[in-house]
């Protein structure tokens, strides 16, 4: 057995709040971002990429506040290869005890063509922008975007320039998830062998999951000498997402015999943060997702169950409690008190202030009046629905009555509170949900198109709560909304309104966030 204290440390760089949030529809509110950042810091993540400060006023404020509140984690802000971006990123992260600027430019032939820079011109831009960043901050990460499709010679050349200009971490993004594990290792090995000064900086790996190889590629890069993994909770991120934090952390733990590296992450905090990220991003975790999926530790088949009872190791390579999954599924009911609710919610990762608890307790009692037994999943759905409603929301559902059945037309009588004023209407539609959505549209006109409408039963039984997810699109901007209720139509109305509220927040975001992959260098 190797002495673990002597094993190489691999830094965990979490980009849930930047690359993860960039995923269409995953917009988080300001307070949600602060909460996720705090959880990441507490669980021992080394670097938190908190956002892209030039993208919008909202991003800037979130990164600044996360920086101010940070404890041990380094706080990083993203910037294109532009002085204005870099200055703005520094303005936001400078409040952290350990600030970092991450600047990038696309170096592959396809990406060089966008700003129409030849190799020499781009090399100059890299030198100038990295030097500019280093004059502001001594912790600089530089990324050649689409590195894995950049010519080897040019990659070595620009990395050498970035190191000489002051970069302390060089990140190798597999931007389109194109690499395979052997290649991922070869690139790092080649860079360590060929680039002067490579031994003085840290190489990072940043993989996307388009071919389902992000985790394998990240681990292969570490084996070849990378010492920072960039990842997101639940693998959230554009398209097929980024490397999942929980997968690399647990792989390094469970297979420490063949991958003798340590991270600083407390794995027992994984389940809670996974649930929170799923709730606030509106991206549910697939049931069979490694480590954090609902079925990741479920054993249905008789043979498996029998084996598990005799010796858990027959079919389990890690214990559920290692990732913070508690086995109790304590059932609560209408006689449960506030203290029991607080304790149960705390087990599930929801730490509430007294005021928040007061609000949630009222909703819990309302639910308990309608539903005999309240399971953990009900509480998670209840919290998700509470999260969905923010004080700053412009629109709220006040009341809803629907007429449905075999003889149409189905009809919805709806009252919304919009900017503090109650407005009511009645609308018909093809079914009660359609009628309700038509009523929302009549009361709050918008051009947004419904892209997805999904209903899940939270638990079993006819009194189960329904969780409804809605995804809407307006001028290329996407927002998701969620809600839960024992009445599916009420949950639908609230989810729709929740998505609308998020879309209104999203409208305030300006172009650079969408532009990130086609960023050009102009000043
Ligand atoms: O995938 C990517 O290339 C990125 C860069 C901005 C680092 O996210
Ligand atoms: Zn990325």
């Amino acid at each position: 057995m190797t002495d673990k204290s002597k094993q190489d440390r691999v830094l965990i760089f979490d980009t849930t709040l930047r690359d993860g949030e960039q995923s269409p529809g995953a917009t988080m509110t300001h307070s949600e971002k602060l909460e996720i950042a705090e959880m990441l810091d507490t669980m021992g993540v080394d670097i938190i990429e908190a956002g892209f400060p030039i993208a919008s006023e909202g991003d800037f404020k979130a990164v600044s506040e996360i920086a101010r509140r940070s404890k041990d984690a380094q706080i990083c802000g993203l910037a294109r290869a532009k002085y204005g971006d870099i200055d703005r990123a520094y303005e936001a992260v400078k409040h952290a005890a350990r600030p970092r600027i991450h600047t990038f430019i696309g170096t592959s032939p396809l990406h060089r063509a966008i700003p129409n820079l030849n190799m020499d011109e781009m090399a100059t831009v890299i030198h100038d922008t990295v030097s500019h960043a280093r004059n502001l901050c001594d912790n600089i990460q530089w990324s050649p975007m689409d590195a894995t499709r950049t010519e080897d010679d040019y990659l070595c050349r620009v990395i050498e320039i970035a190191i000489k200009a002051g970069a302390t971490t060089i990140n190798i993004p597999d931007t389109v998830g194109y690499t395979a594990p052997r290649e991922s290792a070869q690139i790092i090995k080649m860079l360590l062998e060929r680039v002067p000064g490579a031994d003085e900086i840290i190489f990072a790996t940043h993989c996307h999951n388009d071919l389902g190889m992000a985790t394998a590629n990240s681990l292969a890069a570490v084996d070849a000498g990378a010492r920072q993994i960039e990842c997101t909770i639940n693998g959230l991120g554009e398209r097929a997402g980024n490397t999942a934090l929980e997968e690399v952390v647990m792989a390094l733990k469970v297979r420490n015999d063949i991958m003798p590296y340590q991270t600083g992450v407390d794995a027992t905090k994984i389940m809670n943060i996974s649930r929170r990220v799923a709730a606030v991003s509106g991206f549910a975790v697939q049931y069979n997702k490694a480590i954090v999926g609902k079925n990741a530790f479920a054993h249905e088949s008789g043979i498996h169950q029998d084996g598990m009872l005799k010796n858990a190791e027959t079919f389990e390579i890690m214990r559920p409690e290692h990732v913070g999954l508690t086995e109790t599924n304590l059932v609560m009911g209408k006689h449960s008190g506030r203290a029991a609710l607080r304790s149960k919610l705390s087990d599930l990762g929801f730490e509430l202030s007294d005021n928040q608890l007061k609000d949630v307790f009222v909703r819990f009692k309302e639910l308990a009046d309608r539903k005999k037994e309240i399971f953990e999943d009900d509480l998670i759905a209840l919290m998700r629905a509470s999260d969905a409603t923010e004080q700053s929301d412009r629109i709220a559902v006040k009341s809803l009555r629907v007429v449905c059945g075999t003889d149409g037309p189905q009809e919805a009588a709806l009252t919304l509170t919009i900017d503090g004023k109650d407005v009511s209407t009645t609308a018909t539609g093809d079914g009660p949900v359609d009628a309700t959505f038509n009523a929302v549209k009549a009361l709050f006109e918008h051009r947004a198109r419904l892209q997805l409408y999904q209903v899940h039963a939270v638990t079993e039984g006819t009194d189960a709560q329904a969780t409804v997810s809605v995804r809407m699109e307006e001028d290329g901007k996407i927002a998701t909304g969620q809600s839960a209720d024992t009445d599916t139509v009420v949950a639908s109305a609230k989810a729709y309104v929740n998505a609308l509220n998020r879309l209104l927040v999203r409208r305030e975001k300006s172009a650079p966030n969408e532009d990130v992959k086609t960023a050009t260098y102009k000043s």
Side-chain angles (χ1 to χ4, degrees):
M1 264 254 280
T2 48
D3 178 353
K4 293 200 172 166
S5 65
K6 295 212 179 86
Q7 290 182 354
D8 267 11
R9 180 82 149 68
V10 171
L11 300 173
I12 297 294
F13 175 110
D14 181 277
T15 182
T16 307
L17 298 174
R18 200 278 299 167
D19 222 347
E21 212 236 358
Q22 220 164 280
S23 131
T27 320
M28 298 176 205
T29 64
H30 183 77
S31 55
E32 288 165 353
K33 288 181 187 175
L34 300 189
E35 186 193 347
I36 298 298
E38 192 183 337
M39 290 177 95
L40 290 168
D41 204 342
T42 308
M43 81 191 284
V45 160
D46 299 284
I47 306 114
I48 299 171
E49 187 161 53
F52 188 15
I54 194 85
S56 70
E57 200 45 41
D59 262 44
F60 178 80
K61 281 196 188 130
V63 179
S64 313
E65 194 55 33
I66 289 169
R68 275 195 194 91
R69 294 175 180 218
S70 61
K71 292 181 293 227
D72 301 318
Q74 299 176 40
I75 305 300
C76 177
L78 184 70
R80 293 169 296 182
K82 291 174 153 214
Y83 294 155
D85 276 39
I86 293 169
D87 293 344
R88 192 79 173 141
Y90 184 63
E91 271 305 298
V93 296
K94 71 178 184 197
H95 308 286
R98 305 170 72 196
R100 175 182 290 200
I101 300 173
H102 176 193
T103 180
F104 74 97
I105 194 164
T107 50
S108 65
L110 281 168
H111 283 270
R112 289 198 304 266
I114 296 169
N116 199 15
L117 294 175
N118 66 31
M119 285 181 168
D120 292 340
E121 287 164 343
M122 183 166 282
T124 306
V125 169
I126 293 164
H127 171 268
D128 292 353
T129 50
V130 176
S131 306
H132 180 76
R134 183 58 199 250
N135 286 336
L136 298 169
C137 177
D138 60 8
N139 185 356
I140 301 301
Q141 171 164 327
W142 181 71
S143 293
M145 187 165 73
D146 208 14
T148 54
R149 293 192 299 169
T150 300
E151 306 88 328
D152 284 356
D153 288 349
Y154 191 58
L155 193 62
C156 289
R157 178 180 164 196
V158 289
I159 288 176
E160 183 181 349
I161 289 171
I163 295 174
K164 286 204 174 118
T168 43
T169 300
I170 299 289
N171 179 35
I172 303 301
D174 183 27
T175 305
V176 290
Y178 178 71
T179 301
R182 202 185 315 144
E183 248 178 336
S184 176
Q186 268 161 4
I187 293 176
I188 300 293
K189 198 164 161 289
M190 183 240 347
L191 295 173
L192 280 166
E193 279 167 8
R194 286 184 50 184
V195 177
D199 52 339
E200 278 154 35
I201 54 97
I202 288 189
F203 276 108
T205 173
H206 176 112
C207 301
H208 282 266
N209 204 29
D210 298 66
L211 292 172
M213 294 193 280
T215 295
N217 287 337
S218 304
L219 295 172
V222 166
D223 236 0
R227 288 294 174 267
Q228 175 177 304
I229 299 179
E230 307 212 351
C231 46
T232 59
I233 302 293
N234 298 339
L236 194 68
E238 279 191 277
R239 308 184 309 278
N242 291 59
T243 302
L245 179 145
E246 62 277 10
E247 292 177 14
V248 286
V249 166
M250 289 315 289
L252 290 177
K253 265 189 193 300
V254 174
R255 296 311 312 274
N256 194 257
D257 54 332
I258 55 160
M259 294 182 282
Y261 312 103
Q262 294 292 307
T263 76
V265 171
D266 174 359
T268 63
K269 304 246 184 299
I270 284 177
M271 244 7 258
N272 282 347
I273 193 161
S274 162
R275 286 185 184 125
R276 289 303 289 147
V277 168
V280 302
S281 66
F283 276 57
V285 175
Q286 84 196 44
Y287 277 25
N288 58 341
K289 163 86 181 61
I291 319 290
V292 292
K294 207 177 165 98
N295 289 354
F297 293 93
H299 298 272
E300 285 282 339
S301 94
I303 298 173
H304 279 218
Q305 284 179 351
D306 185 49
M308 287 290 295
L309 288 174
K310 291 183 177 129
N311 179 354
E313 279 179 30
T314 43
F315 289 106
E316 232 173 37
I317 56 168
M318 57 199 152
R319 299 288 308 147
E321 55 271 24
H322 294 165
V323 296
L325 193 65
T326 48
E327 286 197 11
T328 54
N329 192 7
L330 180 104
V331 181
M332 304 188 78
K334 67 173 170 195
H335 300 297
S336 306
R338 220 179 275 204
L341 180 65
R342 185 194 282 280
S343 140
K344 191 67 217 165
L345 287 174
S346 163
D347 285 351
L348 293 172
F350 301 97
E351 300 299 341
L352 304 186
S353 69
D354 288 347
N355 275 343
Q356 285 169 321
L357 182 68
K358 226 159 115 190
D359 284 354
V360 172
F361 191 65
V362 172
R363 291 179 215 221
F364 165 73
K365 284 285 174 186
E366 279 166 10
L367 181 62
D369 273 341
R370 283 183 278 149
K371 202 170 175 298
K372 257 201 338 259
E373 292 167 320
I374 311 274
F375 296 93
E376 282 182 355
D377 285 344
D378 284 316
L379 291 181
I380 293 168
L382 185 87
M383 289 306 298
R384 233 180 245 187
S386 313
D387 280 347
T389 38
E390 285 258 325
Q391 299 232 306
S392 53
D393 281 353
R394 287 184 54 198
I395 320 168
V397 175
K398 181 147 192 214
S399 68
L400 173 67
R401 182 153 291 279
V402 292
V403 178
C404 62
T406 49
D407 302 321
Q410 287 77 20
E411 196 177 87
L414 176 71
T415 302
L416 293 181
T417 309
I418 301 177
D419 294 329
K421 262 179 54 194
D422 288 352
V423 282
S424 305
T425 195
T426 302
T428 54
D430 191 2
V433 174
D434 191 45
T436 303
F437 287 4
N438 286 339
V440 176
K441 276 182 230 157
L443 292 174
F444 188 86
E445 273 184 48
H446 56 273
R447 285 174 290 115
R449 235 173 22 89
L450 185 68
Q451 275 196 337
L452 173 107
Y453 169 75
Q454 252 174 9
V455 184
H456 288 291
V458 173
T459 52
E460 280 157 23
T462 49
D463 68 348
Q465 287 194 92
T467 299
V468 176
S469 306
V470 161
R471 189 164 67 219
M472 295 170 76
E473 186 265 343
E474 183 190 72
D475 302 332
K477 294 191 171 64
I478 296 177
T480 50
Q482 283 198 338
S483 194
D485 200 284
T486 48
D487 184 318
T488 310
V489 189
V490 171
S492 304
K494 288 185 175 168
Y496 191 93
V497 163
N498 177 225
L500 268 183
N501 279 313
R502 283 175 179 254
L503 208 53
L504 297 178
V505 174
R506 196 117 174 87
R507 272 188 199 162
E508 286 164 22
K509 288 212 170 206
S510 54
N513 215 359
E514 323 298 339
D515 260 349
V516 66
K517 297 290 181 223
T518 55
T520 56
Y521 173 79
K522 291 218 182 70
S523 58

